[in-house]
């Protein structure tokens, strides 16, 4: 039997990870958030993100990749970055 993978959700939107990149939001919407883990530190035996880059991006494939970036910032910690990204995404999708 094929193994089904559950999609991780955060505040009602999909959250996908590929290596050190985390994508938040749906490609069917006008905007998504891209989080890039820049630095990690050891906490016990686990690697924890200590520096994260956040980008609010347009999903329109007709726009050049460098022009897709609407906002960007860097934060300490994945939760802080994801929290800010969720606010940016909500505002962008609401048209504000």
């Amino acid at each position: 039997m094929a193994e089904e993978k559950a999609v991780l959700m955060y505040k009602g939107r999909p959250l996908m990870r590929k290596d050190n990149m985390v994508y938040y939001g749906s490609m069917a919407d006008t905007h998504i958030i891209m989080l890039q883990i820049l630095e990690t530190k050891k906490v016990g035996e686990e690697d924890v993100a200590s520096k994260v880059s956040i980008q609010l991006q347009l999903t329109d494939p007709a726009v050049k990749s460098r022009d897709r970036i609407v906002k960007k910032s860097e934060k300490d910690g994945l939760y802080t970055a994801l929290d800010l990204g969720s606010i940016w995404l909500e505002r962008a999708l609401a048209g504000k």
Side-chain angles (χ1 to χ4, degrees):
M1 293 182 101
E3 197 174 299
E4 289 186 33
K5 289 189 177 184
V7 175
L8 185 61
M9 301 292 279
Y10 179 73
K11 294 187 177 181
R13 302 202 186 283
L15 193 62
M16 305 292 260
R17 180 178 180 180
K18 173 72 173 145
D19 299 324
N20 67 336
M21 305 292 278
V22 178
Y23 296 94
Y24 176 59
S26 172
M27 289 301 286
D29 292 333
T30 59
H31 294 78
I32 61 163
I33 294 293
M34 183 185 80
L35 304 162
Q36 182 178 11
I37 299 169
L38 302 174
E39 292 179 3
T40 59
K41 65 179 179 179
K42 283 279 193 195
V43 176
E45 295 181 12
E46 299 292 323
D47 286 329
V48 177
S50 59
K51 189 174 186 181
V52 181
S53 170
I54 317 157
Q55 292 182 358
L56 174 66
Q57 296 183 349
L58 294 168
T59 57
D60 186 358
V63 178
K64 292 180 184 176
S65 61
R66 69 173 181 260
D67 296 334
R68 288 184 192 165
I69 300 170
V70 178
K71 285 185 181 182
K72 62 182 177 178
S73 181
E74 282 187 14
K75 292 293 176 191
D76 296 327
L78 184 61
Y79 179 76
T80 306
L82 188 56
D83 198 37
L84 177 62
S86 70
I87 293 167
W88 284 358
L89 187 59
E90 287 296 323
R91 288 179 180 171
L93 296 177
K96 293 182 180 180

